[in-house]
Amino acid sequence: MSQDHTVALFVGPPGAGKGSLSGFCRRSLGWEQLSTGDLLRKCISEGSELGKQIDFIIKSGKLVSDELINSMVEQWLIESCGQGMRGVILDGYPRTVAQAKSLCEFVEKSLKGSRLKVVRFLVEDTVAVERISARFVCTNKDCQAVYSGLKNSAMKPREDMKCAQCGEQIGKRQDDKESVVKDRLITYRRHEKDLLDFYRDRGNQIIECDAAQPLDELFNEFKTLMNIR
Ligand code: AMP
């Protein structure tokens, strides 16, 4: 499979706005998005034994195994990357060096010509925690649209707490509880430096954006940094 599109790797802590910016890129640029968190929650909702194990791991703020996530992502890329595709965002993947190695090998072998762009979301933990505590998501696992109860948010939930995109109920994610969020942030920071060093060592530029700014400004900065008109 020969490709000429961008594969953007969104790296940042939970609550940085990776999913929200991905939504802008889908709607405004026609890009595809894979959120590994969404994919795992969908798997949990199917009620299999594997889903139960994943649920347990997610609720503890830890990471699911590299092998499992790598094979899920490869499967998705094989099914989703086609001719004429403009760009792909991997949101929340890779999260470890082992995942990054596996993805880079896969892209070199099976997505020849794709341009890998590493996009790092810079945001303080305090801001991330504040955002997560105000976050709501659609409970429909084929939708999982994200809303924010924060003042000035462009993505406020409707008063009836139904999703504006699919009409299903919106609610809180179980792992958005304060105790789990702390562990998720620790897990993220534990891997961040090694992950970024891995990309630097292989010559990938790391595009850094200020993820504390409002979403529309972040989107504009993202387009400028990525040379998208
Ligand atoms: P997210 O929706 O990106 O915040 O992810 C929610 C949870 O799913 C994480 O806290 C992890 O437990 C799991 N998860 C998501 N992406 C990955 C990944 N790339 N590797 C391992 N676990 C992941």
Side-chain angles (χ1 to χ4, degrees):
M1 217 182 334
S2 175
Q3 315 283 328
D4 64 353
H5 56 251
T6 298
V7 178
L9 312 181
F10 280 9
V11 183
K18 303 183 298 296
S20 302
L21 184 64
S22 302
F24 263 66
C25 295
R26 270 192 284 117
R27 291 187 293 275
S28 304
L29 305 175
W31 286 22
E32 300 290 327
Q33 170 205 12
L34 172 65
S35 153
T36 42
D38 284 356
L39 200 62
L40 293 168
R41 283 183 286 276
K42 180 135 198 310
C43 185
I44 294 170
S45 74
E46 285 156 8
S48 63
E49 195 45 49
L50 177 64
K52 283 183 196 144
Q53 290 169 21
I54 294 171
D55 191 34
F56 181 77
I57 296 169
I58 288 187
K59 281 185 187 146
S60 69
K62 303 215 162 55
L63 297 179
V64 305
S65 79
D66 292 327
E67 292 72 24
L68 174 68
I69 204 87
N70 287 338
S71 72
M72 283 175 135
V73 172
E74 283 184 16
Q75 188 61 36
W76 185 89
L77 286 169
I78 289 166
E79 285 165 10
S80 310
C81 286
Q83 292 300 327
M85 171 181 271
R86 296 184 183 172
V88 185
I89 293 167
L90 299 183
D91 160 9
Y93 176 90
R95 264 169 150 103
T96 64
V97 171
Q99 293 178 15
K101 274 189 188 152
S102 164
L103 175 74
C104 291
E105 282 167 18
F106 178 79
V107 168
E108 272 160 28
K109 195 176 69 191
S110 305
L111 298 178
K112 289 191 177 64
S114 297
R115 293 175 298 274
L116 271 191
K117 300 267 186 181
V118 182
V119 183
R120 182 183 182 195
F121 287 58
L122 296 172
V123 69
E124 299 284 331
D125 284 1
T126 46
V127 176
V129 169
E130 189 190 20
R131 285 181 179 166
I132 292 172
S133 58
R135 172 157 79 184
F136 297 92
V137 291
C138 176
T139 53
N140 171 3
K141 296 298 180 268
D142 289 320
C143 176
Q144 302 195 48
V146 180
Y147 298 90
S148 169
L150 285 179
K151 231 183 10 191
N152 303 331
S153 164
M155 302 175 313
K156 277 247 160 54
R158 285 187 348 201
E159 261 182 32
D160 63 1
M161 297 302 270
K162 300 276 189 214
C163 178
Q165 293 185 31
C166 75
E168 285 288 328
Q169 191 67 35
I170 63 173
K172 297 294 287 179
R173 261 171 60 174
Q174 296 215 14
D175 61 341
D176 278 353
K177 281 192 205 123
E178 205 182 320
S179 54
V180 186
V181 169
K182 275 196 195 132
D183 289 333
R184 289 164 63 201
L185 283 165
I186 291 169
T187 302
Y188 171 75
R189 298 287 178 209
R190 187 182 307 137
H191 292 281
E192 184 187 43
K193 183 177 178 302
D194 289 348
L195 191 57
L196 294 172
D197 283 347
F198 170 81
Y199 293 128
R200 285 191 195 101
D201 289 348
R202 66 188 301 280
N204 291 114
Q205 183 200 355
I206 297 176
I207 296 166
E208 296 194 331
C209 51
D210 169 13
Q213 63 192 322
L215 203 48
D216 50 345
E217 291 169 31
L218 174 61
F219 184 49
N220 285 335
E221 185 185 18
F222 172 77
K223 284 191 291 185
T224 306
L225 293 170
M226 298 281 286
N227 269 326
I228 299 167
R229 268 163 263 278

